[in-house]
Amino acid sequence: MALVVQKYGGTSVGSIDRIKAVAARVAKARDRGDRLVVVVSAMAGETNRLFKLASELTELPDVRETDALVATGEQVSAALLSIRLQGLGYPAVSFLGFQMNLATDSNHGRARIKSVQCDRVMRALDDGRIVVVAGYQGVNADGDITTLGRGASDLTAVALAAALKADACEIYTDVDGVYTADPNVCPKAKKLGRISYDEMLEMAGLGAKVLQLRSVELARRYNVPLVVRSSFSEAEGTWVGKEDQSMEDVLVSGVTLDQNQSKITIAGVEDRPGLAARIFGPIADAGIVVDMIIQNASADGRTDMTFTIGREDLPRTLDLTRRVANEIGATDVRHQDQTAKVSVVGLGMRSHAGVAARMFQVLANERINIEMIATSEIKVSVVVNSKYGELAMRALHDAFINGAATAAPDGLA
Ligand code: ASP
Ligand code: MG
């Protein structure tokens, strides 16, 4: 008997009819003999609606109360699914975060999981029940409700799968798997049969929205086999797991586009020790994640630094940067609020040279100017004007995936 954790996202449980459809799918898995833990998100749009209610009452709602509020979304869908399963004659029981002691720190709104006590879940499974779990929520040491960050029902599912040593963690969503690119931008995008944790991690961090980033990190750490599938069809889905030899044969597995970036340049910074720390220290202290950073070689003892951040952080970051610029005598702070980051990701890059050069050529052929470049072992990212983001994605997808471009063999690029 396999132990399977299934997770259903917001659109999958978005209406009473959808909850019925999910219950039918769960019942079918149960009839096959699986032991099931089913994690649910709030019904589509519900979490946003709850956040909005709070913000209509006061400008900066208290984080503890906000968590108590937004966690109700998952409470509703978990209870509804359990009610439906029982109505169909299946023994089901629902648990909220605190009822199964999903312990977190007290960082309300983005709490980190410390431990999951599976006793109660295990007992219910041993009693022959289908366990339905409210995703996205936990409890801190004071017994207060916490939430784990937007999209974190995936994380709940993976954490439970790891703790229960489940045979698989099935993530049901409204797309039928992980694609080589966003099919809305790239009609020729193809569904991947398999992808490695490392590639999925890069893709989730680079703007592919199908899996929450931290859930992939956790799955990789505990080796939880994941499959991303649609709850609206019987299509096969994409497996995310440990890499194997053949995965390296594929040069580029996916192309991602993040249109939600802004760029700041601080010009005329004196070239001496300590100034980068002065600039980026306050930004980090404000909890703002800086993505790419480039510093030019200095001319006449001064240098320029350019970096990118998520667009929602632009106003705060600009403010902090201008303040430091003043203090350290930098000559100018410029920004561009709409920039796009386009990336190619693939394990094959580790053993093949020339991917970056080939990528730059493809963009040159489209007359797209590259503003910044960053690389890691298995990805190359460029920042371009957001006007050209989609064009860049399509051109790169055509070249590397539809055209199956190969790079020059090692050393010949
Ligand atoms: N309901 C939460 C959100 O909308 C968690 C989730 O859907 O995974 O962010
Ligand atoms: Mg979601």
Side-chain angles (χ1 to χ4, degrees):
M1 250 193 330
L3 199 168
V4 177
V5 175
Q6 297 190 334
K7 181 259 169 177
Y8 292 92
T11 43
S12 296
V13 295
S15 65
I16 285 298
D17 281 341
R18 288 301 313 158
I19 288 175
K20 289 181 183 168
V22 165
R25 199 178 267 271
V26 172
K28 215 161 110 191
R30 164 68 172 227
D31 293 342
R32 279 197 305 266
D34 287 345
R35 308 175 82 196
L36 292 168
V37 175
V38 184
V39 177
V40 287
S41 287
M43 295 169 81
E46 179 63 8
T47 310
N48 286 342
R49 188 185 74 88
L50 293 166
F51 271 112
K52 190 157 167 284
L53 287 180
S55 69
E56 279 167 13
L57 294 171
T58 184
E59 205 177 323
L60 269 184
D62 176 73
V63 289
R64 177 186 180 276
E65 306 310 327
T66 301
D67 272 356
L69 172 70
V70 297
T72 60
E74 273 72 12
Q75 176 165 356
V76 169
S77 44
L80 288 176
L81 180 59
S82 186
I83 286 169
R84 175 65 181 177
L85 285 165
Q86 291 176 6
L88 295 174
Y90 290 84
V93 58
S94 74
F95 292 131
L96 302 177
F98 80 88
Q99 289 172 308
M100 45 174 208
N101 208 356
L102 192 142
T104 73
D105 62 20
S106 293
N107 208 339
H108 284 286
R110 51 178 167 195
R112 298 195 75 92
I113 299 177
K114 289 173 143 177
S115 63
V116 193
Q117 284 265 315
C118 288
D119 318 10
R120 195 152 178 209
V121 173
M122 266 316 210
R123 259 184 281 132
L125 288 173
D126 290 343
D127 283 350
R129 290 181 198 265
I130 299 170
V131 176
V132 182
V133 169
Y136 179 55
Q137 56 177 265
V139 59
N140 70 11
D142 298 325
D144 288 336
I145 295 169
T146 55
T147 62
L148 310 174
R150 296 307 304 268
S153 294
D154 289 353
L155 186 65
T156 307
V158 173
L160 276 170
L164 293 163
K165 301 196 171 48
D167 296 291
C169 182
E170 304 174 347
I171 307 283
Y172 286 92
T173 175
D174 50 7
V175 294
D176 57 6
V178 181
Y179 276 71
T180 51
D182 180 350
N184 296 316
V185 177
C186 254
K188 285 189 245 167
K190 297 184 283 197
K191 187 172 72 184
L192 292 159
R194 293 178 312 147
I195 185 171
S196 69
Y197 291 125
D198 285 339
E199 289 166 309
M200 192 65 239
L201 210 49
E202 289 283 6
M203 285 172 61
L206 292 169
K209 288 179 209 77
V210 63
L211 277 175
Q212 191 237 18
L213 185 63
R214 279 161 62 199
S215 71
V216 184
E217 281 169 351
L218 200 68
R220 178 174 65 169
R221 176 138 36 104
Y222 291 98
N223 258 314
V224 176
L226 286 180
V227 59
V228 180
R229 306 185 52 175
S230 169
S231 70
F232 295 79
S233 80
E234 294 298 324
E236 279 283 324
T238 303
W239 281 93
V240 186
K242 264 201 288 210
E243 67 179 87
D244 62 38
Q245 200 58 48
S246 67
M247 286 179 173
E248 276 213 8
D249 297 344
V250 182
L251 196 58
V252 170
S253 306
V255 182
T256 61
L257 169 63
D258 183 348
Q259 286 279 28
N260 200 21
Q261 301 258 307
S262 296
K263 187 175 80 170
I264 297 179
T265 299
I266 171 163
V269 179
E270 240 185 288
D271 192 12
R272 63 177 166 84
L275 288 190
R278 282 282 293 281
I279 295 167
F280 293 107
I283 297 174
D285 291 343
I288 296 165
V289 177
V290 174
D291 183 24
M292 281 189 217
I293 304 177
I294 49 173
Q295 177 182 330
N296 290 339
S298 64
D300 313 323
R302 291 196 173 251
T303 181
D304 293 350
M305 279 184 212
T306 301
F307 58 96
T308 60
I309 46 174
R311 183 164 321 130
E312 69 283 4
D313 291 326
L314 180 64
R316 276 195 308 155
T317 317
L318 260 184
D319 187 49
L320 292 165
T321 311
R322 285 194 180 118
R323 236 181 281 169
V324 178
N326 242 326
E327 287 163 22
I328 63 177
T331 53
D332 194 15
V333 174
R334 296 188 291 271
H335 72 279
Q336 187 182 325
D337 66 350
Q338 310 256 348
T339 61
K341 180 169 65 174
V342 187
S343 313
V344 297
V345 176
L347 284 184
M349 283 181 216
R350 284 200 299 233
S351 45
H352 295 82
V355 173
R358 170 86 212 224
M359 179 179 187
F360 304 153
Q361 189 57 53
V362 170
L363 296 172
N365 294 346
E366 300 294 333
R367 309 193 144 274
I368 298 172
N369 187 42
I370 299 171
E371 300 176 3
M372 296 170 83
I373 301 167
T375 62
S376 81
E377 214 189 3
I378 63 164
K379 71 129 203 268
V380 184
S381 298
V382 297
V383 167
V384 301
N385 189 307
S386 65
K387 270 199 299 223
Y388 305 118
E390 297 196 351
L391 174 62
M393 184 186 223
R394 278 193 292 271
L396 291 167
H397 192 273
D398 274 348
F400 282 107
I401 291 170
N402 298 125
T406 45
D410 276 343
L412 295 179

